[in-house]
Amino acid sequence: MYTIRNYVMADSLEQAYEWKQKGRNNVIIGGNLWLKMGHRAIQNAIDLSRLGLDQIEEDAEGFRIGCMVTLRQLEVHEGLRQAFGSLFQEAVRHIVGVQFRNLASVGGSIFPRFGFSDVLTAFLACDSYVELYHGGRIPIWEFAEMPLDNDILTHIYVKKDGRRVCYQSYRLTETDFPVLTCAVVRKADGFETVLGARPKRAVCISDVELKAPEKEEAREDYAQQVAARTEFGSNMRGSAAYRAELAKVLIGRALLELTEDKTCR
Ligand SMILES: Cc1cc2nc3c(=O)[nH]c(=O)nc-3n(C[C@H](O)[C@H](O)[C@H](O)COP(=O)(O)OP(=O)(O)OC[C@H]3O[C@@H](n4cnc5c(N)ncnc54)[C@H](O)[C@@H]3O)c2cc1C
């Protein structure tokens, strides 16, 4: 069971940040879905709901997504769908259920950098930047490698650059945590692959070349090389060896969809 001594509504990000610096028992509360599963004794649960951070703003270059935007907003946003096809829909649609996704926040999904995260995998597959109250704007791949600290994630900025992405995941049973997540990206200058739920933080493999994606042997060779470059681990959902095999299958499926121009966009 977790306990909260004070529930505090921040009037500004500055105030929320100051409260958070008072010690590790002062936490930002997003949808409270993960926090409530824990056993922490929380001193101040800091709510950002009044700060207008629940909007997805689109401009000519991209999307600025507030940390209190829900996973459901990502799932049904028409602009994101036009820019990235089914990526965000596919990434979140297996996460528990619609009521859950109506509460789960982008900030609470990205800041902790969960080793099982569909959401982190999806943002890593785009040219994305996190905006931290103290740390400023940094590329998401850099943020994904950083240790957890006491900052506040305020927004994520995702650039539109014409890339196509195919998202795949594998679960032992519907709505369970994924055994593996995989997003294959096709850009003007080549392919890259993000693998998550390894079960470690998602990583992007961008140094494997795929010259002839229309050829099955070339796709198999690419998948083999990406899997070989990725470090997998074991947990109750699968062994490292199983995940390495699964990675090749998911990459193969995604490449086929991207090459045949099927459902991804
Ligand atoms: C039963 C269950 C199943 C799940 N299945 C999946 C799944 O299959 N795939 C998947 O990707 N995810 C899954 N999740 C994770 C889920 O999607 C959310 O990511 C998670 O619940 C956190 O969202 P939240 O808004 O509830 O965050 P909270 O629980 O409110 O917060 C989570 C953590 O983030 C911190 N935090 C929140 N907002 C900020 C911020 N703006 N800045 C800094 N720190 C912040 C909090 O202090 C806390 O430490 C699952 C979660 C649960 C409980």
Side-chain angles (χ1 to χ4, degrees):
M1 194 182 78
Y2 83 134
T3 55
I4 295 178
R5 189 169 288 270
N6 300 310
Y7 169 77
V8 288
M9 185 69 87
D11 291 322
S12 66
L13 276 168
E14 187 184 10
Q15 186 185 48
Y17 184 77
E18 269 173 28
W19 280 336
K20 200 176 179 209
Q21 304 317 300
K22 288 185 180 159
R24 59 179 297 277
N25 292 330
N26 297 277
V27 300
I28 302 294
I29 193 165
N32 193 28
L33 296 162
W34 188 257
L35 273 176
K36 75 173 182 192
M37 307 280 285
H39 302 278
R40 295 179 69 173
I42 296 169
Q43 180 66 25
N44 292 307
I46 307 160
D47 193 335
L48 308 178
S49 297
R50 284 204 192 127
L51 305 182
L53 297 166
D54 58 350
Q55 302 296 315
I56 301 178
E57 297 158 282
E58 183 175 1
D59 60 28
E61 273 86 47
F63 301 89
R64 191 161 184 248
I65 300 170
C67 64
M68 294 300 282
V69 163
T70 66
L71 299 188
R72 182 68 178 162
Q73 282 173 270
L74 290 185
E75 188 177 355
V76 299
H77 194 271
E78 187 51 28
L80 287 174
R81 201 192 60 74
Q82 280 185 14
F84 301 105
S86 59
L87 169 64
F88 288 100
Q89 255 170 308
E90 280 303 313
V92 304
R93 75 182 173 93
H94 300 283
I95 303 178
V96 188
V98 172
Q99 290 97 330
F100 184 98
R101 300 197 293 277
N102 271 331
L103 291 172
S105 66
V106 167
S109 300
I110 293 295
F111 191 82
R113 286 149 275 187
F114 297 123
F116 55 77
S117 184
D118 288 283
V119 190
L120 183 59
T121 306
F123 279 107
L124 271 165
C126 304
D127 189 9
S128 309
Y129 301 78
V130 297
E131 295 180 17
L132 301 168
Y133 177 76
H134 181 69
R137 189 187 274 202
I138 51 175
I140 194 156
W141 63 264
E142 197 177 318
F143 176 72
E145 291 175 359
M146 282 162 49
L148 295 182
D149 64 12
N150 231 4
D151 215 332
I152 298 177
L153 189 152
T154 65
H155 296 86
I156 299 187
Y157 191 81
V158 191
K159 285 193 184 166
K160 298 181 209 170
D161 59 2
R163 68 181 58 202
R164 296 180 52 226
V165 188
C166 185
Y167 191 89
Q168 302 275 325
S169 66
Y170 182 75
R171 287 166 159 79
L172 296 176
T173 183
E174 183 61 23
T175 76
D176 192 11
F177 290 100
V179 181
L180 195 72
T181 61
C182 168
V184 177
V185 183
R186 185 173 200 169
K187 299 196 289 187
D189 58 352
F191 287 83
E192 54 191 41
T193 295
V194 182
L195 290 167
R198 304 178 287 132
K200 302 163 193 232
R201 292 178 183 181
V203 282
C204 181
I205 310 293
S206 51
D207 58 349
V208 179
E209 230 182 312
L210 173 56
K211 281 196 181 132
E214 66 290 350
K215 292 195 179 140
E216 191 176 348
E217 315 85 79
R219 293 197 297 267
E220 279 174 10
D221 183 54
Y222 174 85
Q224 176 86 38
Q225 287 193 55
V226 171
R229 275 174 166 73
T230 310
E231 195 190 315
F232 298 98
S234 304
N235 65 1
M236 62 187 286
R237 288 184 176 75
S239 65
Y242 177 58
R243 285 188 161 91
E245 288 307 309
L246 203 52
K248 292 182 223 164
V249 175
L250 297 188
I251 294 168
R253 285 181 191 165
L255 282 174
L256 196 59
E257 293 220 8
L258 286 169
T259 342
E260 291 186 343
D261 227 7
K262 276 197 187 155
T263 51
C264 299
R265 277 190 74 165

